[in-house]
Amino acid sequence: MCGFVGAFDLNSGSTPIAEGLKEELRAQVLEMSKRIRHRGPDWSGVYTGNNAILSHERLSIVDPLSGKQPLVSDDEKIILAANGEIYNHKKLRAAFEGKYNFRTGSDCEVIIPLYKEYRASGDFTAMIEKLSGIFAFALYDSQNDVYLIARDEIGVIPLYQGWDKNGRYYVASELKALEGDCVSIEEFPNGSYLFSGDKEVKPVKWYHRTWESYDSVKAAARATDEKGEIINPAVIEKVRNGLEAAVKAQLMSDVPYGVLLSGGLDSSIIAAVTQKYSKKRVETDSTEGAWWPQLHSFAVGLEGSPDLIAAQKAADYIGTVHHEVHFTIQEALDALPDVIYHIETYDITTVRASTPMYLLARVIKSMGIKMVLSGEGSDELFGGYLYFHKAPNAQEFHEELVRKMSKLHLYDCLRANKSLMAWGVEGRVPFLDKDFIDIAMSLNPTDKMSIQLADKKQRIEKWILRKAFDDMLPDEIVWRQKEQFSDGVGYSWIDTLKKMTEEKVSDQEFARRENRFPVNPPKTKEEYYYREIYSRLFPSDSAAKCVPHEAGVACSTAKALEWDAAWKNMDEPSGRAISGVHDKAY
């Protein structure tokens, strides 16, 4: 995983760009790129052409010696700056044997021959669908003077676009690279590409799935009886096999890696499956070249927090070398400005959860680890948040999952990527593997719901997932109720934030919030406090508009507030906000 800045259409006239201006723009792009060097502390590279400049900051995970970027094609006509990982790159390389001469061992280089193959047809949807991974990239075809920008289906990898006062187009891995140089900034949409050779140059959606429609899922073969109580064992086996395959594919690495282990269901499953494969290099199925003799796991929390206690139990059972990172509330409060600078948001949920993860990432990096696997995405796939207990029917349940999946890039993926990459640690998310997403989102929604069973008990959230891995973890972990990360690190963390911000923001300031922040006025004093910090770091209206602003309860979307009359006037992301569900496992 890395960071890059791309500047395009530098020469707006028919005459060649002046050398003096080219050097000036190159210096500008290099300065923009330096702002995101934390994403790629291992190497810097730059390409300068008449109509494009690409600067890259590298975090070397695969092929550290020869895979520096920007990558250049075998004929030296195509230049690529990429951020992320292509997990199926070896299979793609084999398909181009004899047709393209690879110059590096970088997993991202396969994007170049794929582009060569599809550029004549212009079917870039088919091209990008070939990629299995997490990615954002900027490709410049110097022979045809066109560029192709693309982002992965979920938006695990961040990407922003902007325009300067002269109409030049820029893309960057983080917003901070564009702020101050671009007069307009937007997030580049996930699951989309932009090709400058198209008649209308704008992002085009390449990622489409039938499961986005409830009718298509409803029409699929049912896996349960009419009451939804008996789930076909083949469904459970499919979930297990699919997730194990995703974890194994994502273990490709030429550097030491570890796992994040909060003690919740999702991270514990990822840690257990990783342990299953960690003794060998997945690339060669051999113990030769394996980095460490044992898998290391990491948990963060206040002293005695729920996550630390549960994580230790999971680690003891799985057999990882476990590390507890303790932080104090004061240390976390002191870190807030740095956290907001790196995560580039004032969203309450994201700030609360990002702060412990940011502190954890610093310790992980200090131990020489450059990549970790994490459990993000499971709750969006299986309806794991506690508010899903109130879903009125299967259609509402499924449509909320689709909404949550479409917003992951604004919340959990943003938090995980930017909190870790603040210290140059790559996060991988097996639950969001493209093939596994299709498996999970195509399941009968009734099978995933927390429905009331014949014995009057309510089925616990994510029952299928728990059952699929109940032999790999202790019962107290498998059947532990959902605990949102910002809660699990210690309840007093959120309680302190609410109390502190209530005291720091006066009633008079809050009453004038719409004058102070006309774009997305804060809804609470806690949000006002974060917004003050954010606006000092990112003062433009464009930057403010890049942050999501939606009411919800326990991480719900605004639409799901309709499920319970008691939620109508609520706006609290903590899982403890769901009365009668939190701390009541079934």
PDB file of all heavy atoms in Angstrom, residues 97-116:
ATOM      1  N   GLU A  97       2.088 -14.434 -20.084  1.00  0.00           N
ATOM      2  CA  GLU A  97       3.391 -15.005 -20.395  1.00  0.00           C
ATOM      3  C   GLU A  97       3.587 -15.073 -21.912  1.00  0.00           C
ATOM      4  O   GLU A  97       2.737 -15.561 -22.647  1.00  0.00           O
ATOM      5  CB  GLU A  97       3.512 -16.406 -19.793  1.00  0.00           C
ATOM      6  CG  GLU A  97       4.894 -16.988 -19.898  1.00  0.00           C
ATOM      7  CD  GLU A  97       5.030 -18.306 -19.159  1.00  0.00           C
ATOM      8  OE1 GLU A  97       4.095 -18.673 -18.404  1.00  0.00           O
ATOM      9  OE2 GLU A  97       6.067 -18.969 -19.331  1.00  0.00           O
ATOM     10  N   GLY A  98       4.684 -14.522 -22.382  1.00  0.00           N
ATOM     11  CA  GLY A  98       4.979 -14.489 -23.802  1.00  0.00           C
ATOM     12  C   GLY A  98       4.357 -13.312 -24.537  1.00  0.00           C
ATOM     13  O   GLY A  98       4.661 -13.079 -25.712  1.00  0.00           O
ATOM     14  N   LYS A  99       3.487 -12.566 -23.849  1.00  0.00           N
ATOM     15  CA  LYS A  99       2.828 -11.423 -24.493  1.00  0.00           C
ATOM     16  C   LYS A  99       3.285 -10.085 -23.908  1.00  0.00           C
ATOM     17  O   LYS A  99       3.109  -9.041 -24.527  1.00  0.00           O
ATOM     18  CB  LYS A  99       1.306 -11.552 -24.345  1.00  0.00           C
ATOM     19  CG  LYS A  99       0.711 -12.740 -25.095  1.00  0.00           C
ATOM     20  CD  LYS A  99      -0.803 -12.744 -25.041  1.00  0.00           C
ATOM     21  CE  LYS A  99      -1.320 -13.213 -23.703  1.00  0.00           C
ATOM     22  NZ  LYS A  99      -2.805 -13.352 -23.691  1.00  0.00           N
ATOM     23  N   TYR A 100       3.838 -10.145 -22.721  1.00  0.00           N
ATOM     24  CA  TYR A 100       4.293  -8.920 -22.067  1.00  0.00           C
ATOM     25  C   TYR A 100       5.520  -9.256 -21.213  1.00  0.00           C
ATOM     26  O   TYR A 100       5.545 -10.283 -20.524  1.00  0.00           O
ATOM     27  CB  TYR A 100       3.189  -8.334 -21.183  1.00  0.00           C
ATOM     28  CG  TYR A 100       3.611  -7.108 -20.400  1.00  0.00           C
ATOM     29  CD1 TYR A 100       3.580  -5.842 -20.975  1.00  0.00           C
ATOM     30  CD2 TYR A 100       4.062  -7.223 -19.080  1.00  0.00           C
ATOM     31  CE1 TYR A 100       3.982  -4.712 -20.257  1.00  0.00           C
ATOM     32  CE2 TYR A 100       4.465  -6.108 -18.353  1.00  0.00           C
ATOM     33  CZ  TYR A 100       4.429  -4.858 -18.946  1.00  0.00           C
ATOM     34  OH  TYR A 100       4.836  -3.747 -18.242  1.00  0.00           O
ATOM     35  N   ASN A 101       6.521  -8.417 -21.271  1.00  0.00           N
ATOM     36  CA  ASN A 101       7.749  -8.640 -20.511  1.00  0.00           C
ATOM     37  C   ASN A 101       7.697  -7.839 -19.218  1.00  0.00           C
ATOM     38  O   ASN A 101       7.898  -6.622 -19.217  1.00  0.00           O
ATOM     39  CB  ASN A 101       8.974  -8.225 -21.334  1.00  0.00           C
ATOM     40  CG  ASN A 101       9.139  -9.052 -22.581  1.00  0.00           C
ATOM     41  OD1 ASN A 101       9.019 -10.277 -22.540  1.00  0.00           O
ATOM     42  ND2 ASN A 101       9.384  -8.401 -23.718  1.00  0.00           N
ATOM     43  N   PHE A 102       7.413  -8.521 -18.121  1.00  0.00           N
ATOM     44  CA  PHE A 102       7.344  -7.847 -16.826  1.00  0.00           C
ATOM     45  C   PHE A 102       8.722  -7.368 -16.407  1.00  0.00           C
ATOM     46  O   PHE A 102       9.704  -8.106 -16.479  1.00  0.00           O
ATOM     47  CB  PHE A 102       6.754  -8.790 -15.766  1.00  0.00           C
ATOM     48  CG  PHE A 102       5.279  -8.993 -15.899  1.00  0.00           C
ATOM     49  CD1 PHE A 102       4.766 -10.045 -16.660  1.00  0.00           C
ATOM     50  CD2 PHE A 102       4.394  -8.130 -15.272  1.00  0.00           C
ATOM     51  CE1 PHE A 102       3.407 -10.235 -16.785  1.00  0.00           C
ATOM     52  CE2 PHE A 102       3.022  -8.312 -15.403  1.00  0.00           C
ATOM     53  CZ  PHE A 102       2.523  -9.364 -16.158  1.00  0.00           C
ATOM     54  N   ARG A 103       8.769  -6.132 -15.917  1.00  0.00           N
ATOM     55  CA  ARG A 103      10.038  -5.526 -15.527  1.00  0.00           C
ATOM     56  C   ARG A 103      10.286  -5.602 -14.024  1.00  0.00           C
ATOM     57  O   ARG A 103      11.403  -5.350 -13.559  1.00  0.00           O
ATOM     58  CB  ARG A 103      10.075  -4.062 -15.977  1.00  0.00           C
ATOM     59  CG  ARG A 103       9.808  -3.901 -17.471  1.00  0.00           C
ATOM     60  CD  ARG A 103       9.789  -2.442 -17.899  1.00  0.00           C
ATOM     61  NE  ARG A 103      11.132  -1.871 -17.949  1.00  0.00           N
ATOM     62  CZ  ARG A 103      11.403  -0.643 -18.404  1.00  0.00           C
ATOM     63  NH1 ARG A 103      10.409   0.125 -18.833  1.00  0.00           N
ATOM     64  NH2 ARG A 103      12.635  -0.189 -18.417  1.00  0.00           N
ATOM     65  N   THR A 104       9.240  -5.911 -13.239  1.00  0.00           N
ATOM     66  CA  THR A 104       9.372  -5.995 -11.786  1.00  0.00           C
ATOM     67  C   THR A 104       8.582  -7.186 -11.281  1.00  0.00           C
ATOM     68  O   THR A 104       7.847  -7.835 -12.035  1.00  0.00           O
ATOM     69  CB  THR A 104       8.832  -4.724 -11.090  1.00  0.00           C
ATOM     70  OG1 THR A 104       7.396  -4.734 -11.124  1.00  0.00           O
ATOM     71  CG2 THR A 104       9.346  -3.461 -11.762  1.00  0.00           C
ATOM     72  N   GLY A 105       8.697  -7.430  -9.987  1.00  0.00           N
ATOM     73  CA  GLY A 105       7.871  -8.448  -9.340  1.00  0.00           C
ATOM     74  C   GLY A 105       6.665  -7.842  -8.651  1.00  0.00           C
ATOM     75  O   GLY A 105       5.959  -8.525  -7.920  1.00  0.00           O
ATOM     76  N   SER A 106       6.412  -6.553  -8.874  1.00  0.00           N
ATOM     77  CA  SER A 106       5.299  -5.863  -8.231  1.00  0.00           C
ATOM     78  C   SER A 106       3.966  -6.470  -8.631  1.00  0.00           C
ATOM     79  O   SER A 106       3.726  -6.759  -9.809  1.00  0.00           O
ATOM     80  CB  SER A 106       5.319  -4.380  -8.616  1.00  0.00           C
ATOM     81  OG  SER A 106       4.115  -3.745  -8.230  1.00  0.00           O
ATOM     82  N   ASP A 107       3.101  -6.655  -7.646  1.00  0.00           N
ATOM     83  CA  ASP A 107       1.767  -7.181  -7.946  1.00  0.00           C
ATOM     84  C   ASP A 107       0.958  -6.216  -8.804  1.00  0.00           C
ATOM     85  O   ASP A 107       0.080  -6.623  -9.557  1.00  0.00           O
ATOM     86  CB  ASP A 107       1.011  -7.476  -6.642  1.00  0.00           C
ATOM     87  CG  ASP A 107       0.975  -6.279  -5.701  1.00  0.00           C
ATOM     88  OD1 ASP A 107       2.035  -5.913  -5.181  1.00  0.00           O
ATOM     89  OD2 ASP A 107      -0.104  -5.702  -5.500  1.00  0.00           O
ATOM     90  N   CYS A 108       1.262  -4.917  -8.701  1.00  0.00           N
ATOM     91  CA  CYS A 108       0.480  -3.905  -9.431  1.00  0.00           C
ATOM     92  C   CYS A 108       0.848  -3.820 -10.910  1.00  0.00           C
ATOM     93  O   CYS A 108       0.077  -3.259 -11.702  1.00  0.00           O
ATOM     94  CB  CYS A 108       0.655  -2.540  -8.780  1.00  0.00           C
ATOM     95  SG  CYS A 108      -0.104  -2.420  -7.138  1.00  0.00           S
ATOM     96  N   GLU A 109       1.990  -4.364 -11.308  1.00  0.00           N
ATOM     97  CA  GLU A 109       2.390  -4.221 -12.709  1.00  0.00           C
ATOM     98  C   GLU A 109       1.423  -4.911 -13.660  1.00  0.00           C
ATOM     99  O   GLU A 109       1.349  -4.560 -14.849  1.00  0.00           O
ATOM    100  CB  GLU A 109       3.817  -4.742 -12.927  1.00  0.00           C
ATOM    101  CG  GLU A 109       4.347  -4.354 -14.304  1.00  0.00           C
ATOM    102  CD  GLU A 109       5.778  -4.801 -14.577  1.00  0.00           C
ATOM    103  OE1 GLU A 109       6.434  -5.308 -13.646  1.00  0.00           O
ATOM    104  OE2 GLU A 109       6.232  -4.656 -15.734  1.00  0.00           O
ATOM    105  N   VAL A 110       0.652  -5.890 -13.177  1.00  0.00           N
ATOM    106  CA  VAL A 110      -0.299  -6.576 -14.068  1.00  0.00           C
ATOM    107  C   VAL A 110      -1.346  -5.615 -14.630  1.00  0.00           C
ATOM    108  O   VAL A 110      -1.980  -5.912 -15.649  1.00  0.00           O
ATOM    109  CB  VAL A 110      -1.003  -7.746 -13.343  1.00  0.00           C
ATOM    110  CG1 VAL A 110      -0.009  -8.826 -12.955  1.00  0.00           C
ATOM    111  CG2 VAL A 110      -1.784  -7.252 -12.131  1.00  0.00           C
ATOM    112  N   ILE A 111      -1.541  -4.474 -13.996  1.00  0.00           N
ATOM    113  CA  ILE A 111      -2.509  -3.500 -14.502  1.00  0.00           C
ATOM    114  C   ILE A 111      -2.099  -2.996 -15.888  1.00  0.00           C
ATOM    115  O   ILE A 111      -2.949  -2.728 -16.742  1.00  0.00           O
ATOM    116  CB  ILE A 111      -2.649  -2.322 -13.506  1.00  0.00           C
ATOM    117  CG1 ILE A 111      -3.247  -2.822 -12.184  1.00  0.00           C
ATOM    118  CG2 ILE A 111      -3.504  -1.205 -14.091  1.00  0.00           C
ATOM    119  CD1 ILE A 111      -3.210  -1.796 -11.062  1.00  0.00           C
ATOM    120  N   ILE A 112      -0.803  -2.906 -16.139  1.00  0.00           N
ATOM    121  CA  ILE A 112      -0.326  -2.373 -17.422  1.00  0.00           C
ATOM    122  C   ILE A 112      -0.680  -3.287 -18.595  1.00  0.00           C
ATOM    123  O   ILE A 112      -1.300  -2.825 -19.559  1.00  0.00           O
ATOM    124  CB  ILE A 112       1.190  -2.097 -17.362  1.00  0.00           C
ATOM    125  CG1 ILE A 112       1.471  -0.961 -16.374  1.00  0.00           C
ATOM    126  CG2 ILE A 112       1.737  -1.751 -18.742  1.00  0.00           C
ATOM    127  CD1 ILE A 112       2.946  -0.671 -16.145  1.00  0.00           C
ATOM    128  N   PRO A 113      -0.331  -4.582 -18.566  1.00  0.00           N
ATOM    129  CA  PRO A 113      -0.734  -5.422 -19.708  1.00  0.00           C
ATOM    130  C   PRO A 113      -2.247  -5.578 -19.826  1.00  0.00           C
ATOM    131  O   PRO A 113      -2.769  -5.742 -20.937  1.00  0.00           O
ATOM    132  CB  PRO A 113      -0.048  -6.770 -19.434  1.00  0.00           C
ATOM    133  CG  PRO A 113       0.265  -6.765 -17.980  1.00  0.00           C
ATOM    134  CD  PRO A 113       0.535  -5.337 -17.631  1.00  0.00           C
ATOM    135  N   LEU A 114      -2.968  -5.513 -18.701  1.00  0.00           N
ATOM    136  CA  LEU A 114      -4.426  -5.543 -18.781  1.00  0.00           C
ATOM    137  C   LEU A 114      -4.939  -4.330 -19.558  1.00  0.00           C
ATOM    138  O   LEU A 114      -5.831  -4.444 -20.408  1.00  0.00           O
ATOM    139  CB  LEU A 114      -5.036  -5.558 -17.381  1.00  0.00           C
ATOM    140  CG  LEU A 114      -5.179  -6.919 -16.694  1.00  0.00           C
ATOM    141  CD1 LEU A 114      -5.654  -6.738 -15.260  1.00  0.00           C
ATOM    142  CD2 LEU A 114      -6.139  -7.822 -17.451  1.00  0.00           C
ATOM    143  N   TYR A 115      -4.369  -3.171 -19.273  1.00  0.00           N
ATOM    144  CA  TYR A 115      -4.768  -1.970 -20.004  1.00  0.00           C
ATOM    145  C   TYR A 115      -4.460  -2.122 -21.491  1.00  0.00           C
ATOM    146  O   TYR A 115      -5.292  -1.768 -22.350  1.00  0.00           O
ATOM    147  CB  TYR A 115      -4.043  -0.742 -19.439  1.00  0.00           C
ATOM    148  CG  TYR A 115      -4.203   0.487 -20.302  1.00  0.00           C
ATOM    149  CD1 TYR A 115      -5.378   1.222 -20.286  1.00  0.00           C
ATOM    150  CD2 TYR A 115      -3.175   0.896 -21.170  1.00  0.00           C
ATOM    151  CE1 TYR A 115      -5.537   2.344 -21.094  1.00  0.00           C
ATOM    152  CE2 TYR A 115      -3.331   2.007 -21.978  1.00  0.00           C
ATOM    153  CZ  TYR A 115      -4.508   2.724 -21.945  1.00  0.00           C
ATOM    154  OH  TYR A 115      -4.662   3.825 -22.747  1.00  0.00           O
ATOM    155  N   LYS A 116      -3.286  -2.632 -21.810  1.00  0.00           N
ATOM    156  CA  LYS A 116      -2.928  -2.821 -23.222  1.00  0.00           C
ATOM    157  C   LYS A 116      -3.934  -3.718 -23.932  1.00  0.00           C
ATOM    158  O   LYS A 116      -4.281  -3.506 -25.094  1.00  0.00           O
ATOM    159  CB  LYS A 116      -1.528  -3.426 -23.326  1.00  0.00           C
ATOM    160  CG  LYS A 116      -0.393  -2.454 -23.054  1.00  0.00           C
ATOM    161  CD  LYS A 116       0.937  -3.112 -23.392  1.00  0.00           C
ATOM    162  CE  LYS A 116       2.067  -2.106 -23.439  1.00  0.00           C
ATOM    163  NZ  LYS A 116       3.322  -2.697 -23.935  1.00  0.00           N
TER     164      LYS A 116
END
